[in-house]
């Protein structure tokens, strides 16, 4: 039985695809939400940015990015500014047009300024705020040669207090992209799963089950166990979230997945139905790549939208909620618009905002090829 409801809000100023493990939307220090960059229906990188005000339910345009980009990271710094790093520039092409550039948004002035570029161009990477205000950037994808892409092992740290300087740090044991990374209570960072490019075209690869932990004191990235199953094909979201105290991920040995490249129904704490591609007769759940997972104030996790195999051609409107105390899943009220590859962020008052995304792709679209996008926004209110 659902315990919340959705409310339709004002639209974004434009339709947008938000592709990648990160949703692209971040909550600012004053409670507003910033969404910058993304892709249009032809998957060309865009520079437009907008700010959402929860008290009015309205999106307002703000200054565009200095460089159009998608598959980038957006991180709120300790001083309230926002750091955007890397991404994929220009139209869809091969090999990848990865960017090394970075820029910073000041919410008080509504302006973007360039900061020092990363040491390595990358897209589909992770960015995590560290204690003390630095930012760890790890993995991603970049051009490997003139006609091939490759996942990266490199990692580097951005220091806003040090003049916006980047410094190389320990490398990942496994090259990966489209992976979640979450800050741990002890100051470290957990990097979980992801995708490793394994062929020259950049479209083939394998889902990773291994996790790694970053120690900001030593700069070391090391193994931290194995997921029971790989998180799925890119850019499937893993629910790498911290629950209530005493209900975080348990350490120890995890079984490695063998079904690389397929969406799965598992997360860190408890497996969803065990048969990918099929509904579970007990719960009605199915696999959902290209979704979002948000930590609610209650300590529960809300999993929203996504798509279904084998074509990933339509967005889902359904939602489910995970309770870490009972280790159980329950159905939630569905969105009014089914969507995948969208932006989502938890607000300070406990509600959840979703916006933009892909409604249809490929042959299922009216054009028979380009993505069909949406500019709609919705707000989830738990009861």
């Amino acid at each position: 039985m659902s315990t919340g409801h959705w409310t339709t809000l004002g639209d974004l100023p434009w339709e947008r695809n938000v592709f990648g493990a990160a949703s692209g939307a971040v909550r600012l220090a004053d409670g507003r939400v910033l969404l910058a960059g993304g892709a249009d229906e032809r998957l060309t990188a865009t520079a437009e940015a907008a700010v959402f005000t929860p008290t009015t339910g309205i999106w307002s345009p703000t200054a565009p990015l200095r460089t159009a980009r998608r598959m980038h990271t957006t991180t709120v710094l300790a001083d309230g500014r926002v750091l955007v790093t890397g991404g994929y520039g220009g139209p869809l092409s091969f090999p990848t047009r990865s960017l090394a550039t970075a820029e910073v948004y000041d919410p008080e002035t509504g302006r973007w300024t360039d900061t020092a570029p990363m040491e390595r161009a990358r897209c589909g990477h992770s960015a995590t705020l560290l204690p003390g205000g630095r930012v760890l950037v790890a993995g991603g994808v970049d051009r490997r040669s003139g006609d091939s892409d490759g996942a990266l092992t490199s990692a580097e740290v951005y220091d806003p207090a040090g003049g916006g300087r980047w410094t190389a740090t320990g490398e990942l044991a496994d090259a990966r992209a489209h992976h979640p990374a979450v800050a741990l209570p002890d100051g470290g960072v957990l990097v979980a799963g992801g995708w490793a490019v394994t062929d020259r075209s950049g479209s083939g690869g394998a889902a990773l089950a291994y996790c790694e932990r970053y120690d900001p004191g030593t700069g070391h990235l090391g193994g931290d166990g194995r997921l029971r199953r790989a998180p799925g094909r890119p850019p499937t979201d893993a629910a790498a979230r911290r629950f209530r105290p005493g209900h975080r991920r348990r350490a120890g040995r995890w079984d490695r997945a063998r079904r690389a490249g397929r969406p799965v129904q598992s997360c860190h704490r408890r497996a969803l139905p065990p048969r990918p591609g099929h509904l579970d007769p007990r719960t009605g759940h199915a696999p959902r790549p290209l979704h979002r997972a948000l930590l609610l104030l209650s300590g529960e996790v809300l999993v929203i939208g996504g798509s279904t195999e084998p074509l990933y051609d339509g967005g889902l409107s359904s939602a489910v909620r995970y309770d870490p105390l009972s280790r159980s899943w329950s159905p939630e009220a569905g969105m009014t618009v089914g969507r995948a590859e969208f932006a989502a962020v938890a607000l300070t008052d406990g509600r959840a905002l979703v916006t933009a995304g892909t409604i249809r792709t490929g042959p299922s679209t009216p054009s028979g090829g380009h993505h069909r996008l949406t500019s709609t926004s919705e707000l989830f209110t738990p009861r």
Side-chain angles (χ1 to χ4, degrees):
M1 180 176 179
S2 63
T3 59
H5 66 274
W6 293 89
T7 305
T8 302
L9 303 171
D11 291 353
L12 273 172
W14 15 255
E15 295 178 341
R16 187 64 69 247
N17 168 288
V18 186
F19 182 96
S23 82
V26 292
R27 191 179 69 226
L28 303 175
D30 60 9
R32 296 180 300 160
V33 174
L34 171 70
L35 176 62
D40 64 15
E41 64 175 8
R42 295 175 180 267
L43 299 185
T44 298
T46 63
E48 293 94 343
V51 173
F52 175 78
T53 304
T55 55
T56 64
I58 295 175
W59 287 94
S60 303
T62 189
L65 290 162
R66 297 177 64 84
T67 301
R69 63 185 82 216
R70 66 185 183 96
M71 294 169 59
H72 54 284
T73 59
T74 310
T75 309
V76 179
L77 300 175
D79 62 7
R81 296 180 301 158
V82 179
L83 173 69
V84 166
T85 65
Y88 190 117
L92 182 65
S93 63
F94 181 80
T96 297
R97 300 169 181 259
S98 296
L99 301 170
T101 58
E103 48 192 296
V104 175
Y105 178 77
D106 187 339
E108 294 187 0
T109 64
R111 296 179 179 176
W112 295 90
T113 57
D114 290 328
T115 189
M118 295 183 291
E119 296 189 356
R120 179 67 186 265
R122 62 185 81 223
C123 64
H125 52 289
S126 63
T128 312
L129 185 66
L130 300 174
R134 299 181 302 158
V135 177
L136 171 70
V137 166
V141 174
D142 190 21
R143 180 176 299 192
R144 181 165 48 192
S145 65
D147 60 354
S148 66
D149 289 340
L152 303 175
T153 60
S154 66
E156 47 192 301
V157 174
Y158 177 78
D159 186 357
R165 183 176 62 234
W166 291 92
T167 305
T169 189
E171 293 197 347
L172 294 162
D174 292 297
R176 66 184 77 209
H178 306 299
H179 53 277
V182 62
L184 300 175
D186 62 3
V189 175
L190 177 69
V191 176
W195 185 256
V197 177
T198 58
D199 70 359
R200 292 173 65 87
S201 70
S203 60
L208 298 175
Y210 283 99
C211 301
E212 303 187 46
R213 186 183 182 282
Y214 177 75
D215 184 338
T218 64
H220 174 69
L221 276 156
D224 194 48
R226 294 181 288 184
L227 292 168
R228 291 181 60 194
R229 299 180 183 178
R233 69 191 300 274
T236 300
D237 290 310
R241 297 287 187 265
R242 285 177 290 169
F243 303 126
R244 300 169 186 155
H247 292 273
R248 292 185 292 271
R249 167 196 163 276
R250 289 176 179 163
R253 181 183 177 89
W254 295 345
D255 296 329
R256 188 165 192 181
R258 297 297 180 186
R259 291 195 310 278
R262 298 191 66 189
V264 300
Q265 298 153 301
S266 62
C267 75
H268 287 185
R269 294 301 306 273
R270 181 178 184 271
L272 280 170
R275 299 178 62 203
H278 300 273
L279 290 175
D280 186 294
R282 299 165 297 171
T283 65
H285 299 325
R288 55 170 76 220
L290 313 177
H291 62 282
R292 299 298 177 196
L294 294 177
L295 178 64
L296 302 176
L297 286 181
S298 64
E300 297 170 302
V301 177
L302 181 67
V303 178
I304 322 162
S307 191
T308 56
E309 64 173 339
L311 298 178
Y312 310 102
D313 57 350
L316 298 175
S317 62
S318 62
V320 292
R321 186 195 292 234
Y322 176 73
D323 185 344
L325 287 179
S326 63
R327 302 187 186 182
S328 63
W329 293 89
S330 59
E332 260 301 345
M335 296 180 291
T336 59
V337 176
R339 64 187 83 209
E341 302 170 323
F342 57 99
V345 65
L347 304 180
T348 55
D349 60 7
R351 296 179 296 174
L353 170 69
V354 301
T355 190
T358 300
I359 299 175
R360 293 285 178 186
T361 62
S364 67
T365 62
S367 65
H370 304 309
H371 284 55
R372 182 180 180 186
L373 309 181
T374 181
S375 61
T376 59
S377 298
E378 304 183 46
L379 196 63
F380 176 78
T381 303
R383 291 198 183 103

